[in-house]
Amino acid sequence: MFPLQRGRRLRTNESIRSLVRETSLSPSDFMFPMFIAEGENVQVEIPSMPGIFRRSIDLTVKEVLELFDLGIRAVNIYVKVSENLKDNTGKEAWNKDGLMQNAIRAIKTACPEMIVMPDVALDPYSIYGHDGIITNGDVENDSTNDALVKMAVSHAEAGADFVAPSDMMDGRVLRLRQGLDAAGFNNVGIMSYSAKYASAFYGPFRDALDSAPREADVVVPKDKKTYQMDYANRIEAIKEALWDVEEGADMVMVKPGIAYLDIVREVKNAVNVPVTVYHVSGEYAMIKAAAERGWLDNDKIMMEQLMCIKRAGASLISTYFAKEAAIILNQK
């Protein structure tokens, strides 16, 4: 039968396509992950992440102001901790005058409306590169949670809007909510890394912070698979996200991004809170490497992947492409 319905009528030109487009992107959809280093006027490019830098606090603040002018409204911050400050307790993580705490204060002073979500995990502070305290050859869950509460409260005291636990300890969202409330920070939110997979896509990130598991003079896990999720699992991600919402998470996160869009949609359908997706360092690095060789168009692939993440159900996308994408969107 001759077709009465012709899908191509709605694809005739860009004006029509824009009228019926189901998903859109704006700079406010993005959160920019930032790496912070000690010192002043320090800016060191991360070799495996072209265009991404470790910056000292002064230059971080300058970058934050530029991001805000572009329409980006959230930053997720991480610190590169000096080796002499690392131990197995992670105590530097709740130093009120630590690098993270000073960075939060500086950003909020310079740009009060920028939403600051500091990372809550012990791996940057650990001599073993793990997200928690090593006891008897394993990451000890409950003592790690005690440390995370101290860390989160110190972030709140410094001015953080949300804390972002990325550690994957059992029960930590409830403990963080209780600890923040007890300290008087009822309005500080929790963006929980709920479905964080044990992924090989994190390699460049660990280069940036020197936070990979390392050889030690005691028995330690060789990887993070006892607490990060098995990438073969789907139902487990839904369970973890639901648990975190029940424990008080204001947002949940799926990490990584593009390779896990099925999980993004499943979690989006299951929860009643915003879903954040982390478009991770390895996904960024692959596009940059292919673009440098002329195999892919950086801007087109970047925008396509970000749109696909949004289409899958992301309310917020944490991406190293945030600034590049915002510049393109602002030119339209």
Side-chain angles (χ1 to χ4, degrees):
M1 180 181 290
F2 191 80
L4 297 178
Q5 291 292 339
R6 290 180 180 267
R8 290 182 60 188
R9 294 190 192 111
L10 299 180
R11 305 176 199 136
T12 302
N13 56 52
E14 177 55 23
S15 292
I16 293 176
R17 291 191 295 270
S18 68
L19 285 176
V20 299
R21 189 162 289 139
E22 298 172 29
T23 308
S24 62
L25 282 173
S26 74
S28 62
D29 291 323
F30 305 138
M31 176 164 61
F32 191 47
M34 305 188 78
F35 301 117
I36 301 171
E38 295 280 5
E40 293 184 11
N41 199 34
V42 173
Q43 178 167 289
V44 179
E45 188 172 33
I46 299 160
S48 54
M49 301 176 70
I52 302 299
F53 299 85
R54 285 193 296 265
R55 293 184 175 92
S56 51
I57 291 175
D58 54 332
L59 298 187
T60 297
V61 167
K62 181 180 178 182
E63 181 76 355
V64 165
L65 293 171
E66 292 180 15
L67 295 171
F68 194 83
D69 285 343
L70 288 169
I72 294 167
R73 294 293 179 260
V75 291
N76 187 204
I77 58 176
Y78 304 83
V79 292
K80 174 72 166 63
V81 179
S82 299
E83 286 297 319
N84 66 306
L85 297 175
K86 296 181 180 183
D87 62 13
N88 187 36
T89 70
K91 64 180 182 296
E92 178 62 20
W94 55 90
N95 177 1
K96 65 182 179 64
D97 295 314
L99 181 58
M100 177 69 87
Q101 289 77 5
N102 287 335
I104 295 167
R105 280 190 287 268
I107 293 170
K108 293 301 292 185
T109 297
C111 191
E113 293 181 63
M114 181 63 86
I115 303 302
V116 179
M117 302 191 188
D119 180 55
V120 175
L122 295 186
D123 51 334
Y125 303 89
S126 169
I127 54 173
Y128 304 124
H130 275 285
D131 290 49
I133 297 168
I134 300 295
T135 304
N136 297 324
D138 195 13
V139 176
E140 210 289 311
N141 194 93
D142 295 356
S143 62
T144 295
N145 281 343
D146 292 339
L148 297 176
V149 170
K150 296 176 186 176
M151 186 179 185
V153 169
S154 77
H155 293 175
E157 289 172 343
D161 301 281
F162 285 76
V163 294
S166 63
D167 55 286
M168 290 297 287
M169 296 298 110
D170 292 333
R172 92 276 206 210
V173 173
L174 178 59
R175 294 296 307 279
L176 290 174
R177 186 70 271 156
Q178 291 171 334
L180 289 167
D181 289 354
F185 296 108
N186 309 71
N187 290 329
V188 172
I190 298 174
M191 182 192 69
S192 174
Y193 289 58
S194 298
K196 181 179 180 181
Y197 285 85
S199 171
F201 282 106
Y202 306 151
F205 175 94
R206 290 174 181 167
D207 289 344
L209 293 185
D210 188 25
S211 61
R214 57 181 70 181
E215 295 291 331
D217 55 1
V218 299
V219 177
V220 298
K222 65 179 181 179
D223 53 38
K224 301 190 177 188
K225 292 181 179 180
T226 67
Y227 45 101
Q228 294 179 0
M229 286 177 47
D230 184 341
Y231 57 71
N233 293 354
R234 177 182 61 86
I235 294 172
E236 184 183 12
I238 302 169
K239 178 179 69 175
E240 290 281 353
L242 289 171
W243 280 349
D244 283 358
V245 173
E246 289 173 2
E247 292 181 11
D250 301 283
M251 303 183 195
V252 296
M253 177 184 276
V254 176
K255 181 181 180 182
I258 283 294
Y260 293 78
L261 294 186
D262 60 320
I263 307 301
V264 175
R265 174 44 58 185
E266 294 271 16
V267 170
K268 179 69 172 181
N269 290 343
V271 302
N272 59 0
V273 299
V275 176
T276 303
V277 176
Y278 203 142
H279 193 213
V280 298
S281 59
E283 294 168 319
Y284 175 89
M286 288 193 299
I287 294 175
K288 288 297 182 184
E292 285 176 0
R293 289 160 177 77
W295 297 342
L296 294 174
D297 183 303
N298 179 86
D299 291 356
K300 289 180 179 178
I301 294 293
M302 168 184 72
M303 298 307 292
E304 181 177 345
Q305 288 203 355
L306 293 172
M307 186 69 80
C308 291
I309 293 171
K310 180 80 180 292
R311 186 194 66 215
S315 303
L316 180 65
I317 305 169
S318 184
T319 176
Y320 301 97
F321 285 116
K323 188 175 183 180
E324 290 181 65
I327 290 170
I328 290 174
L329 290 168
N330 285 330
Q331 291 171 345
K332 291 187 176 180

